[in-house]
Amino acid sequence: MFDKAYKTVQKFVFPLITIARFYDKRVVAEVGNLVLLNKEGWLMTTAYQFRYISLYKKHKSEIEEYQIKSNASSLRKRKSKRRQKKLLKLQINRDWITHYDILLGGINMEIKEYHVFSEHDLALVRVDPKYFDRVEIYPSIRGSSSLKPGIKLCRIGYVCTELNISFDESTNKFSINELPRLSRLPIDG
């Protein structure tokens, strides 16, 4: 039974890669799951996978504010003690996100629409359905009330995958040096 469930889930569960570049030039990449919900291109994943989008927006304004204040301060020739204290308060945050990318199914797809429900750790995403035109089966979503104690669930993941990704400053884009084969790992639950 588990084998049948695993074969079914493979048809609509794909890897999701999130990549972030930080102010100190570190690049971090993580692999998660996405579930294709229907032929209209709606996907489901965790809200956690989309955290870089909101952090990027927040950090972008903080970086701009820092740059404006530091440029204005450096242009002043005479620095009073008060101005020097203000300069010291302007701190660079090495964890500011300067760039991010989300690869759905390992492909850089344009996200047409997304909704993040952090309190439920859920994100719903819509992409152009042409990317998944070969998918013939979709999951059935049921309420938790239909799950009985002792029922077996088929969980699947892409854990412990090392990605060799860098950031090319000349193109201002991420460079995937070599995308490893992303192996699905079934977890009998």
Side-chain angles (χ1 to χ4, degrees):
M1 186 150 166
F2 180 78
D3 183 49
K4 181 182 173 191
Y6 178 64
K7 285 179 182 168
T8 301
V9 193
Q10 288 184 76
K11 296 175 182 175
F12 51 78
V13 174
F14 300 93
L16 177 139
I17 302 170
T18 54
I19 311 166
R21 180 178 184 256
F22 296 90
Y23 195 83
D24 64 1
K25 300 186 183 199
R26 278 177 296 138
V27 174
V28 173
E30 300 165 351
V31 180
N33 290 332
L34 68 85
V35 178
L36 181 61
L37 297 175
N38 57 35
K39 63 183 174 190
E40 285 80 36
W42 280 100
L43 316 166
M44 178 174 65
T45 188
T46 61
Y48 179 79
Q49 295 292 338
F50 274 70
R51 72 193 180 285
Y52 291 139
I53 293 176
S54 58
L55 285 174
Y56 170 79
K57 290 175 183 175
K58 178 181 181 246
H59 293 170
K60 185 177 179 181
S61 63
E62 290 175 7
I63 292 168
E64 288 170 357
E65 181 183 352
Y66 168 78
Q67 289 172 336
I68 289 167
K69 287 180 179 177
S70 64
N71 287 341
S73 296
S74 66
L75 290 175
R76 295 185 188 123
K77 292 184 179 180
R78 217 180 87 201
K79 293 181 183 159
S80 67
K81 287 187 179 188
R82 197 172 114 215
R83 283 192 188 137
Q84 286 175 347
K85 279 187 180 182
K86 277 187 178 180
L87 264 176
L88 290 174
K89 286 183 182 178
L90 290 175
Q91 294 289 325
I92 292 174
N93 180 349
R94 66 184 205 92
D95 293 326
W96 279 332
I97 294 172
T98 60
H99 299 82
Y100 76 90
D101 208 348
I102 297 174
L103 305 177
L104 305 168
I107 301 168
N108 193 342
M109 296 180 207
E110 178 189 351
I111 295 173
K112 298 200 175 281
E113 181 179 353
Y114 71 93
H115 306 278
V116 177
F117 306 95
S118 298
E119 64 278 5
H120 301 292
D121 193 22
L122 177 70
L124 297 174
V125 183
R126 188 171 64 84
V127 298
D128 189 331
K130 72 179 178 189
Y131 293 108
F132 297 103
D133 60 355
R134 292 189 179 148
V135 175
E136 296 172 4
I137 186 170
Y138 300 95
S140 298
I141 308 294
R142 295 189 203 171
S144 61
S145 62
S146 68
L147 297 177
K148 295 180 175 68
I151 193 167
K152 291 240 180 205
L153 301 175
C154 181
R155 297 181 296 163
I156 191 168
Y158 299 89
V159 294
C160 305
T161 303
E162 287 243 356
L163 299 172
N164 187 7
I165 297 177
S166 57
F167 187 79
D168 185 345
E169 298 212 19
S170 64
T171 61
N172 225 19
K173 292 183 179 181
F174 290 102
S175 173
I176 301 175
N177 303 325
E178 184 179 335
L179 190 60
R181 184 165 184 254
L182 299 171
S183 301
R184 291 181 186 94
L185 299 175
I187 307 164
D188 190 3

